[in-house]
Short mmCIF file of all heavy atoms in Angstrom, two decimals:
data_model
loop_
_atom_site.label_atom_id
_atom_site.label_comp_id
_atom_site.label_asym_id
_atom_site.label_seq_id
_atom_site.Cartn_x
_atom_site.Cartn_y
_atom_site.Cartn_z
N THR A 1 79.27 110.94 114.59
CA THR A 1 80.30 109.92 114.48
C THR A 1 81.40 110.42 113.54
O THR A 1 81.18 111.32 112.74
CB THR A 1 79.73 108.61 113.92
OG1 THR A 1 79.31 108.83 112.58
CG2 THR A 1 78.58 108.09 114.78
N ARG A 2 82.55 109.81 113.66
CA ARG A 2 83.67 110.17 112.77
C ARG A 2 83.30 109.92 111.32
O ARG A 2 83.60 110.71 110.44
CB ARG A 2 84.93 109.40 113.14
CG ARG A 2 86.05 109.73 112.15
CD ARG A 2 87.44 109.49 112.65
NE ARG A 2 87.79 110.11 113.88
CZ ARG A 2 88.26 111.36 114.03
NH1 ARG A 2 88.39 112.13 112.98
NH2 ARG A 2 88.58 111.82 115.20
N ALA A 3 82.63 108.79 111.05
CA ALA A 3 82.25 108.47 109.67
C ALA A 3 81.32 109.54 109.09
O ALA A 3 81.49 109.96 107.94
CB ALA A 3 81.60 107.10 109.60
N LEU A 4 80.38 110.00 109.87
CA LEU A 4 79.46 111.05 109.41
C LEU A 4 80.22 112.36 109.19
O LEU A 4 80.00 113.05 108.19
CB LEU A 4 78.33 111.25 110.42
CG LEU A 4 77.32 112.34 110.08
CD1 LEU A 4 76.64 112.05 108.74
CD2 LEU A 4 76.28 112.45 111.18
N PHE A 5 81.12 112.68 110.10
CA PHE A 5 81.93 113.90 109.94
C PHE A 5 82.76 113.83 108.67
O PHE A 5 82.76 114.77 107.87
CB PHE A 5 82.84 114.08 111.16
CG PHE A 5 83.84 115.18 111.01
CD1 PHE A 5 83.43 116.51 111.04
CD2 PHE A 5 85.19 114.91 110.83
CE1 PHE A 5 84.35 117.54 110.90
CE2 PHE A 5 86.11 115.93 110.68
CZ PHE A 5 85.68 117.25 110.71
N GLU A 6 83.46 112.72 108.46
CA GLU A 6 84.30 112.58 107.28
C GLU A 6 83.48 112.61 106.00
O GLU A 6 83.89 113.20 105.00
CB GLU A 6 85.15 111.32 107.38
CG GLU A 6 86.23 111.46 108.43
CD GLU A 6 87.06 110.21 108.64
OE1 GLU A 6 86.81 109.18 107.98
OE2 GLU A 6 87.98 110.27 109.48
N SER A 7 82.31 112.03 106.04
CA SER A 7 81.42 112.08 104.87
C SER A 7 80.98 113.52 104.63
O SER A 7 80.88 113.96 103.48
CB SER A 7 80.23 111.16 105.13
OG SER A 7 79.10 111.55 104.48
N SER A 8 80.76 114.27 105.68
CA SER A 8 80.32 115.66 105.57
C SER A 8 81.39 116.58 104.99
O SER A 8 81.09 117.57 104.35
CB SER A 8 79.88 116.19 106.93
OG SER A 8 78.79 115.47 107.41
N ILE A 9 82.66 116.27 105.25
CA ILE A 9 83.73 117.14 104.78
C ILE A 9 84.38 116.65 103.50
O ILE A 9 85.34 117.26 103.02
CB ILE A 9 84.81 117.36 105.87
CG1 ILE A 9 85.55 116.05 106.20
CG2 ILE A 9 84.21 118.01 107.11
CD1 ILE A 9 86.80 116.26 107.04
N ASP A 10 83.87 115.58 102.92
CA ASP A 10 84.49 115.02 101.73
C ASP A 10 84.61 116.03 100.59
O ASP A 10 85.63 116.09 99.91
CB ASP A 10 83.75 113.77 101.25
CG ASP A 10 84.53 113.04 100.18
OD1 ASP A 10 85.71 112.71 100.44
OD2 ASP A 10 83.97 112.83 99.08
N GLY A 11 83.60 116.86 100.40
CA GLY A 11 83.66 117.89 99.36
C GLY A 11 84.77 118.90 99.62
O GLY A 11 85.44 119.35 98.69
N LEU A 12 84.96 119.24 100.88
CA LEU A 12 86.04 120.17 101.24
C LEU A 12 87.41 119.54 101.02
O LEU A 12 88.34 120.19 100.54
CB LEU A 12 85.89 120.62 102.70
CG LEU A 12 84.61 121.41 103.00
CD1 LEU A 12 84.46 121.60 104.50
CD2 LEU A 12 84.61 122.73 102.27
N LEU A 13 87.53 118.26 101.36
CA LEU A 13 88.79 117.56 101.13
C LEU A 13 89.09 117.48 99.63
O LEU A 13 90.25 117.61 99.22
CB LEU A 13 88.76 116.16 101.75
CG LEU A 13 88.67 116.12 103.27
CD1 LEU A 13 88.59 114.67 103.75
CD2 LEU A 13 89.82 116.84 103.92
N GLU A 14 88.08 117.30 98.82
CA GLU A 14 88.28 117.26 97.38
C GLU A 14 88.79 118.62 96.88
O GLU A 14 89.66 118.69 96.02
CB GLU A 14 86.99 116.88 96.66
CG GLU A 14 87.14 116.80 95.16
CD GLU A 14 88.20 115.79 94.69
OE1 GLU A 14 88.39 114.76 95.36
OE2 GLU A 14 88.84 116.06 93.66
N ARG A 15 88.26 119.70 97.43
CA ARG A 15 88.75 121.04 97.06
C ARG A 15 90.21 121.21 97.44
O ARG A 15 90.99 121.82 96.70
CB ARG A 15 87.88 122.11 97.71
CG ARG A 15 86.50 122.21 97.08
CD ARG A 15 85.58 123.16 97.77
NE ARG A 15 86.16 124.51 97.85
CZ ARG A 15 85.64 125.47 98.59
NH1 ARG A 15 84.55 125.26 99.31
NH2 ARG A 15 86.21 126.66 98.62
N ILE A 16 90.60 120.69 98.60
CA ILE A 16 92.00 120.78 99.02
C ILE A 16 92.88 119.97 98.07
O ILE A 16 93.93 120.44 97.64
CB ILE A 16 92.17 120.31 100.48
CG1 ILE A 16 91.51 121.33 101.43
CG2 ILE A 16 93.64 120.09 100.84
CD1 ILE A 16 91.37 120.86 102.86
N ARG A 17 92.45 118.75 97.73
CA ARG A 17 93.22 117.93 96.80
C ARG A 17 93.37 118.64 95.45
O ARG A 17 94.46 118.63 94.85
CB ARG A 17 92.57 116.56 96.62
CG ARG A 17 92.72 115.66 97.85
CD ARG A 17 92.25 114.25 97.58
NE ARG A 17 90.81 114.16 97.34
CZ ARG A 17 89.89 113.99 98.28
NH1 ARG A 17 90.25 113.90 99.56
NH2 ARG A 17 88.61 113.90 97.98
N THR A 18 92.30 119.26 95.00
CA THR A 18 92.36 120.01 93.74
C THR A 18 93.34 121.16 93.84
O THR A 18 94.13 121.41 92.91
CB THR A 18 90.95 120.52 93.36
OG1 THR A 18 90.09 119.40 93.18
CG2 THR A 18 90.97 121.36 92.10
N SER A 19 93.35 121.86 94.96
CA SER A 19 94.28 122.98 95.17
C SER A 19 95.73 122.50 95.20
O SER A 19 96.62 123.14 94.62
CB SER A 19 93.97 123.72 96.47
OG SER A 19 92.72 124.37 96.37
N VAL A 20 95.98 121.38 95.85
CA VAL A 20 97.34 120.83 95.91
C VAL A 20 97.79 120.43 94.51
O VAL A 20 98.92 120.74 94.10
CB VAL A 20 97.42 119.63 96.88
CG1 VAL A 20 98.75 118.90 96.77
CG2 VAL A 20 97.19 120.09 98.32
N THR A 21 96.92 119.79 93.77
CA THR A 21 97.26 119.39 92.40
C THR A 21 97.56 120.62 91.54
O THR A 21 98.55 120.64 90.79
CB THR A 21 96.10 118.58 91.78
OG1 THR A 21 95.91 117.40 92.55
CG2 THR A 21 96.39 118.21 90.33
N GLN A 22 96.74 121.65 91.66
CA GLN A 22 96.96 122.87 90.88
C GLN A 22 98.27 123.55 91.28
O GLN A 22 99.02 124.01 90.43
CB GLN A 22 95.79 123.84 91.06
CG GLN A 22 95.87 125.06 90.17
CD GLN A 22 95.80 124.69 88.69
OE1 GLN A 22 94.91 123.98 88.27
NE2 GLN A 22 96.76 125.17 87.90
N LEU A 23 98.56 123.59 92.56
CA LEU A 23 99.80 124.18 93.05
C LEU A 23 101.01 123.46 92.46
O LEU A 23 101.94 124.10 91.96
CB LEU A 23 99.85 124.13 94.57
CG LEU A 23 101.17 124.52 95.23
CD1 LEU A 23 101.38 126.02 95.11
CD2 LEU A 23 101.21 124.08 96.66
N LEU A 24 100.98 122.14 92.51
CA LEU A 24 102.10 121.37 91.98
C LEU A 24 102.24 121.57 90.47
O LEU A 24 103.36 121.73 89.97
CB LEU A 24 101.92 119.88 92.29
CG LEU A 24 101.99 119.50 93.77
CD1 LEU A 24 101.62 118.03 93.96
CD2 LEU A 24 103.35 119.81 94.36
N ASN A 25 101.12 121.60 89.76
CA ASN A 25 101.16 121.85 88.32
C ASN A 25 101.73 123.24 88.01
O ASN A 25 102.57 123.38 87.13
CB ASN A 25 99.78 121.70 87.70
CG ASN A 25 99.33 120.26 87.63
OD1 ASN A 25 100.13 119.34 87.66
ND2 ASN A 25 98.03 120.06 87.57
N ASP A 26 101.25 124.24 88.73
CA ASP A 26 101.73 125.62 88.51
C ASP A 26 103.22 125.75 88.78
O ASP A 26 103.93 126.51 88.11
CB ASP A 26 100.96 126.61 89.39
CG ASP A 26 99.52 126.81 88.97
OD1 ASP A 26 99.14 126.34 87.87
OD2 ASP A 26 98.76 127.42 89.74
N ALA A 27 103.70 125.00 89.78
CA ALA A 27 105.12 125.06 90.16
C ALA A 27 105.97 124.09 89.34
O ALA A 27 107.19 124.05 89.51
CB ALA A 27 105.27 124.76 91.65
N ASN A 28 105.31 123.30 88.50
CA ASN A 28 106.00 122.29 87.71
C ASN A 28 106.80 121.33 88.60
O ASN A 28 107.97 121.03 88.35
CB ASN A 28 106.91 122.94 86.65
CG ASN A 28 107.29 121.97 85.55
OD1 ASN A 28 106.53 121.06 85.25
ND2 ASN A 28 108.46 122.15 84.98
N VAL A 29 106.14 120.88 89.67
CA VAL A 29 106.74 119.96 90.64
C VAL A 29 105.92 118.67 90.63
O VAL A 29 104.69 118.70 90.74
CB VAL A 29 106.73 120.58 92.06
CG1 VAL A 29 107.17 119.57 93.10
CG2 VAL A 29 107.61 121.82 92.10
N GLY A 30 106.60 117.55 90.50
CA GLY A 30 105.93 116.26 90.54
C GLY A 30 105.69 115.81 91.98
O GLY A 30 106.42 116.20 92.89
N VAL A 31 104.68 114.98 92.15
CA VAL A 31 104.36 114.52 93.51
C VAL A 31 105.55 113.80 94.15
O VAL A 31 105.75 113.89 95.36
CB VAL A 31 103.10 113.62 93.54
CG1 VAL A 31 101.87 114.39 93.16
CG2 VAL A 31 103.25 112.40 92.70
N GLY A 32 106.35 113.11 93.35
CA GLY A 32 107.51 112.41 93.89
C GLY A 32 108.63 113.33 94.35
O GLY A 32 109.53 112.90 95.06
N GLN A 33 108.57 114.59 93.93
CA GLN A 33 109.60 115.56 94.32
C GLN A 33 109.32 116.20 95.68
O GLN A 33 110.21 116.81 96.26
CB GLN A 33 109.70 116.67 93.27
CG GLN A 33 110.21 116.19 91.93
CD GLN A 33 110.18 117.30 90.92
OE1 GLN A 33 109.16 117.56 90.30
NE2 GLN A 33 111.31 117.99 90.78
N VAL A 34 108.12 116.08 96.17
CA VAL A 34 107.76 116.70 97.46
C VAL A 34 108.28 115.78 98.57
O VAL A 34 107.86 114.64 98.69
CB VAL A 34 106.23 116.90 97.58
CG1 VAL A 34 105.87 117.50 98.94
CG2 VAL A 34 105.72 117.78 96.45
N ASP A 35 109.21 116.32 99.37
CA ASP A 35 109.79 115.48 100.42
C ASP A 35 109.28 115.81 101.82
O ASP A 35 109.50 115.03 102.74
CB ASP A 35 111.32 115.54 100.38
CG ASP A 35 111.88 116.92 100.63
OD1 ASP A 35 111.12 117.86 100.91
OD2 ASP A 35 113.11 117.06 100.54
N THR A 36 108.59 116.95 101.98
CA THR A 36 108.09 117.33 103.30
C THR A 36 106.77 118.07 103.15
O THR A 36 106.61 118.90 102.27
CB THR A 36 109.09 118.27 104.02
OG1 THR A 36 110.37 117.62 104.09
CG2 THR A 36 108.63 118.61 105.42
N VAL A 37 105.84 117.76 104.03
CA VAL A 37 104.58 118.51 104.14
C VAL A 37 104.51 119.02 105.56
O VAL A 37 104.66 118.26 106.52
CB VAL A 37 103.35 117.63 103.84
CG1 VAL A 37 102.06 118.40 104.07
CG2 VAL A 37 103.41 117.10 102.42
N PHE A 38 104.32 120.34 105.68
CA PHE A 38 104.24 120.97 107.00
C PHE A 38 102.78 121.24 107.32
O PHE A 38 102.12 121.99 106.62
CB PHE A 38 105.03 122.29 106.99
CG PHE A 38 105.11 122.95 108.33
CD1 PHE A 38 105.96 122.50 109.30
CD2 PHE A 38 104.31 124.05 108.61
CE1 PHE A 38 106.03 123.12 110.55
CE2 PHE A 38 104.36 124.68 109.85
CZ PHE A 38 105.23 124.20 110.81
N PHE A 39 102.27 120.59 108.36
CA PHE A 39 100.90 120.77 108.80
C PHE A 39 100.85 121.80 109.92
O PHE A 39 101.55 121.66 110.92
CB PHE A 39 100.31 119.45 109.32
CG PHE A 39 100.08 118.43 108.26
CD1 PHE A 39 100.95 117.36 108.10
CD2 PHE A 39 98.98 118.52 107.42
CE1 PHE A 39 100.73 116.41 107.13
CE2 PHE A 39 98.75 117.57 106.44
CZ PHE A 39 99.63 116.51 106.30
N THR A 40 100.02 122.80 109.74
CA THR A 40 99.85 123.80 110.79
C THR A 40 98.43 124.33 110.72
O THR A 40 97.80 124.33 109.67
CB THR A 40 100.89 124.93 110.69
OG1 THR A 40 100.83 125.72 111.88
CG2 THR A 40 100.66 125.81 109.49
N GLY A 41 97.91 124.78 111.83
CA GLY A 41 96.54 125.29 111.88
C GLY A 41 95.59 124.19 112.32
O GLY A 41 95.87 123.00 112.18
N GLY A 42 94.47 124.59 112.86
CA GLY A 42 93.50 123.66 113.46
C GLY A 42 93.01 122.57 112.55
O GLY A 42 92.92 121.40 112.94
N SER A 43 92.71 122.90 111.30
CA SER A 43 92.18 121.89 110.37
C SER A 43 93.19 120.81 110.05
O SER A 43 92.82 119.70 109.68
CB SER A 43 91.73 122.56 109.07
OG SER A 43 90.69 123.47 109.32
N SER A 44 94.46 121.12 110.19
CA SER A 44 95.48 120.10 109.88
C SER A 44 95.49 118.98 110.91
O SER A 44 96.15 117.97 110.71
CB SER A 44 96.86 120.74 109.77
OG SER A 44 97.33 121.15 111.03
N GLY A 45 94.75 119.14 111.98
CA GLY A 45 94.63 118.09 112.99
C GLY A 45 93.57 117.05 112.65
O GLY A 45 93.43 116.06 113.36
N ILE A 46 92.86 117.24 111.54
CA ILE A 46 91.82 116.30 111.14
C ILE A 46 92.48 115.10 110.44
O ILE A 46 93.12 115.27 109.41
CB ILE A 46 90.80 116.98 110.19
CG1 ILE A 46 90.12 118.14 110.92
CG2 ILE A 46 89.78 115.98 109.67
CD1 ILE A 46 89.26 119.01 110.03
N PRO A 47 92.31 113.91 111.00
CA PRO A 47 92.97 112.74 110.42
C PRO A 47 92.63 112.52 108.94
O PRO A 47 93.51 112.15 108.16
CB PRO A 47 92.46 111.58 111.29
CG PRO A 47 92.17 112.21 112.61
CD PRO A 47 91.63 113.58 112.26
N ALA A 48 91.40 112.76 108.54
CA ALA A 48 91.01 112.54 107.14
C ALA A 48 91.77 113.49 106.21
O ALA A 48 92.13 113.12 105.09
CB ALA A 48 89.50 112.73 106.97
N LEU A 49 92.04 114.69 106.67
CA LEU A 49 92.80 115.64 105.86
C LEU A 49 94.24 115.16 105.71
O LEU A 49 94.79 115.14 104.62
CB LEU A 49 92.77 117.04 106.47
CG LEU A 49 93.62 118.05 105.71
CD1 LEU A 49 92.74 119.07 105.02
CD2 LEU A 49 94.58 118.72 106.64
N ARG A 50 94.83 114.74 106.80
CA ARG A 50 96.21 114.25 106.76
C ARG A 50 96.33 113.02 105.86
O ARG A 50 97.26 112.90 105.08
CB ARG A 50 96.70 113.92 108.16
CG ARG A 50 96.97 115.15 108.98
CD ARG A 50 97.37 114.73 110.40
NE ARG A 50 97.70 115.90 111.16
CZ ARG A 50 98.94 116.23 111.52
NH1 ARG A 50 99.95 115.46 111.20
NH2 ARG A 50 99.16 117.32 112.21
N GLN A 51 95.38 112.10 105.99
CA GLN A 51 95.40 110.89 105.17
C GLN A 51 95.24 111.22 103.70
O GLN A 51 95.89 110.62 102.84
CB GLN A 51 94.31 109.93 105.63
CG GLN A 51 94.56 109.36 107.01
CD GLN A 51 93.31 108.72 107.62
OE1 GLN A 51 92.25 108.73 107.03
NE2 GLN A 51 93.47 108.21 108.83
N SER A 52 94.40 112.20 103.41
CA SER A 52 94.16 112.61 102.03
C SER A 52 95.43 113.18 101.40
O SER A 52 95.80 112.82 100.28
CB SER A 52 93.03 113.64 102.00
OG SER A 52 92.72 114.02 100.70
N VAL A 53 96.11 114.04 102.14
CA VAL A 53 97.35 114.64 101.65
C VAL A 53 98.44 113.57 101.56
O VAL A 53 99.20 113.53 100.59
CB VAL A 53 97.79 115.82 102.54
CG1 VAL A 53 99.18 116.31 102.18
CG2 VAL A 53 96.78 116.96 102.45
N ALA A 54 98.51 112.70 102.54
CA ALA A 54 99.51 111.63 102.53
C ALA A 54 99.33 110.72 101.30
O ALA A 54 100.31 110.30 100.70
CB ALA A 54 99.43 110.81 103.80
N ALA A 55 98.11 110.45 100.93
CA ALA A 55 97.85 109.61 99.76
C ALA A 55 98.30 110.30 98.48
O ALA A 55 98.76 109.65 97.55
CB ALA A 55 96.37 109.27 99.68
N MET A 56 98.21 111.63 98.44
CA MET A 56 98.62 112.38 97.26
C MET A 56 100.13 112.51 97.16
O MET A 56 100.67 112.60 96.06
CB MET A 56 98.04 113.81 97.30
CG MET A 56 96.56 113.90 97.16
SD MET A 56 96.06 115.63 97.10
CE MET A 56 96.61 116.06 95.44
N LEU A 57 100.80 112.57 98.29
CA LEU A 57 102.24 112.84 98.35
C LEU A 57 102.93 111.72 99.14
O LEU A 57 103.42 111.94 100.26
CB LEU A 57 102.49 114.21 98.98
CG LEU A 57 101.77 115.37 98.31
CD1 LEU A 57 101.80 116.62 99.17
CD2 LEU A 57 102.36 115.64 96.94
N PRO A 58 103.00 110.53 98.58
CA PRO A 58 103.47 109.38 99.35
C PRO A 58 104.93 109.42 99.78
O PRO A 58 105.31 108.73 100.73
CB PRO A 58 103.21 108.20 98.40
CG PRO A 58 103.22 108.80 97.04
CD PRO A 58 102.66 110.20 97.21
N ASN A 59 105.76 110.23 99.12
CA ASN A 59 107.18 110.30 99.49
C ASN A 59 107.47 111.34 100.56
O ASN A 59 108.60 111.42 101.05
CB ASN A 59 108.03 110.61 98.26
CG ASN A 59 107.96 109.51 97.22
OD1 ASN A 59 107.68 108.36 97.54
ND2 ASN A 59 108.19 109.87 95.98
N ALA A 60 106.49 112.15 100.89
CA ALA A 60 106.72 113.27 101.81
C ALA A 60 106.64 112.83 103.27
O ALA A 60 105.76 112.08 103.66
CB ALA A 60 105.70 114.37 101.55
N ARG A 61 107.59 113.35 104.04
CA ARG A 61 107.50 113.15 105.49
C ARG A 61 106.58 114.24 106.01
O ARG A 61 106.42 115.31 105.40
CB ARG A 61 108.87 113.21 106.16
CG ARG A 61 109.50 114.58 106.18
CD ARG A 61 110.92 114.53 106.79
NE ARG A 61 111.50 115.84 106.77
CZ ARG A 61 111.61 116.63 107.84
NH1 ARG A 61 111.23 116.20 109.01
NH2 ARG A 61 112.14 117.82 107.72
N HIS A 62 105.95 114.00 107.15
CA HIS A 62 104.99 114.95 107.70
C HIS A 62 105.58 115.62 108.94
O HIS A 62 106.04 114.95 109.85
CB HIS A 62 103.70 114.23 108.06
CG HIS A 62 103.09 113.55 106.87
ND1 HIS A 62 102.31 112.44 106.98
CD2 HIS A 62 103.17 113.83 105.55
CE1 HIS A 62 101.93 112.05 105.77
NE2 HIS A 62 102.45 112.88 104.89
N VAL A 63 105.56 116.95 108.91
CA VAL A 63 106.07 117.74 110.02
C VAL A 63 104.89 118.54 110.56
O VAL A 63 104.11 119.10 109.80
CB VAL A 63 107.19 118.71 109.54
CG1 VAL A 63 107.66 119.60 110.67
CG2 VAL A 63 108.35 117.92 108.94
N GLU A 64 104.78 118.59 111.87
CA GLU A 64 103.66 119.27 112.50
C GLU A 64 104.13 120.51 113.22
O GLU A 64 105.06 120.46 114.02
CB GLU A 64 102.97 118.33 113.48
CG GLU A 64 101.74 118.91 114.10
CD GLU A 64 101.02 117.88 114.95
OE1 GLU A 64 100.65 116.82 114.43
OE2 GLU A 64 100.85 118.15 116.16
N GLY A 65 103.46 121.63 112.93
CA GLY A 65 103.69 122.87 113.65
C GLY A 65 102.77 122.92 114.85
O GLY A 65 102.12 121.94 115.21
N ASN A 66 102.71 124.07 115.46
CA ASN A 66 101.81 124.28 116.59
C ASN A 66 100.39 124.42 116.04
O ASN A 66 100.02 125.47 115.53
CB ASN A 66 102.23 125.55 117.34
CG ASN A 66 101.36 125.82 118.54
OD1 ASN A 66 100.22 125.40 118.63
ND2 ASN A 66 101.91 126.58 119.49
N ILE A 67 99.61 123.36 116.13
CA ILE A 67 98.29 123.33 115.51
C ILE A 67 97.41 124.47 115.97
O ILE A 67 96.68 125.06 115.19
CB ILE A 67 97.61 121.97 115.78
CG1 ILE A 67 98.31 120.89 114.99
CG2 ILE A 67 96.14 122.01 115.40
CD1 ILE A 67 97.75 119.51 115.18
N PHE A 68 97.47 124.83 117.24
CA PHE A 68 96.57 125.86 117.74
C PHE A 68 97.19 127.25 117.84
O PHE A 68 96.48 128.23 117.92
CB PHE A 68 96.01 125.43 119.11
CG PHE A 68 95.22 124.17 119.03
CD1 PHE A 68 95.70 122.98 119.55
CD2 PHE A 68 93.98 124.15 118.40
CE1 PHE A 68 94.98 121.82 119.45
CE2 PHE A 68 93.24 122.98 118.29
CZ PHE A 68 93.75 121.83 118.84
N GLY A 69 98.50 127.35 117.82
CA GLY A 69 99.11 128.66 118.03
C GLY A 69 99.80 129.28 116.84
O GLY A 69 99.98 130.49 116.79
N SER A 70 100.19 128.49 115.85
CA SER A 70 101.01 129.03 114.78
C SER A 70 100.27 130.01 113.89
O SER A 70 100.85 131.00 113.43
CB SER A 70 101.63 127.91 113.96
OG SER A 70 100.65 127.10 113.41
N ILE A 71 99.02 129.80 113.63
CA ILE A 71 98.26 130.74 112.80
C ILE A 71 98.13 132.07 113.54
O ILE A 71 98.38 133.13 112.97
CB ILE A 71 96.87 130.17 112.46
CG1 ILE A 71 96.99 128.87 111.66
CG2 ILE A 71 96.04 131.19 111.70
CD1 ILE A 71 97.71 129.00 110.33
N GLY A 72 97.79 132.02 114.79
CA GLY A 72 97.69 133.26 115.59
C GLY A 72 99.01 133.97 115.70
O GLY A 72 99.08 135.19 115.60
N SER A 73 100.09 133.22 115.89
CA SER A 73 101.42 133.84 115.96
C SER A 73 101.78 134.50 114.64
O SER A 73 102.38 135.58 114.61
CB SER A 73 102.48 132.79 116.30
OG SER A 73 102.26 132.26 117.57
N GLY A 74 101.43 133.86 113.55
CA GLY A 74 101.70 134.43 112.24
C GLY A 74 100.93 135.72 112.00
O GLY A 74 101.43 136.67 111.40
N LEU A 75 99.72 135.78 112.49
CA LEU A 75 98.91 136.98 112.34
C LEU A 75 99.43 138.12 113.21
O LEU A 75 99.33 139.29 112.84
CB LEU A 75 97.44 136.70 112.70
CG LEU A 75 96.70 135.79 111.74
CD1 LEU A 75 95.31 135.46 112.30
CD2 LEU A 75 96.56 136.44 110.38
N ALA A 76 100.02 137.76 114.35
CA ALA A 76 100.54 138.78 115.25
C ALA A 76 101.78 139.38 114.65
O ALA A 76 102.11 140.50 114.73
CB ALA A 76 100.86 138.19 116.61
#
């Protein structure tokens, strides 16, 4: 079920939130200053991940890249 899946990945989502917080701190950027979040790659299609990031960065608009092709194109 979705609930079981989201419960299973909660630790991973916490690691992502920690990374985002550290990135913003290192860059000396406040959460209110982030105006856009670009989602790309397969994991960015997970609703719980998007909701988690959206909760952290409430002023940011969300832009979606090619979820399945952009990572491969970047590697090429």
Side-chain angles (χ1 to χ4, degrees):
T1 66
R2 177 157 306 274
L4 179 59
F5 172 72
E6 289 177 358
S7 152
S8 297
I9 65 168
D10 191 54
L12 297 171
L13 294 177
E14 181 59 33
R15 288 175 57 191
I16 291 169
R17 288 188 294 271
T18 299
S19 293
V20 170
T21 298
Q22 186 63 51
L23 171 72
L24 294 173
N25 288 337
D26 290 349
N28 198 29
V29 172
V31 295
Q33 293 175 276
V34 178
D35 62 4
T36 304
V37 175
F38 185 77
F39 290 103
T40 191
S43 298
S44 71
I46 299 171
L49 176 111
R50 287 176 177 252
Q51 292 164 359
S52 183
V53 171
M56 292 184 74
L57 305 166
N59 296 336
R61 70 184 179 104
H62 302 151
V63 176
E64 185 174 302
N66 181 336
I67 290 180
F68 298 108
S70 59
I71 299 299
S73 296
L75 292 173

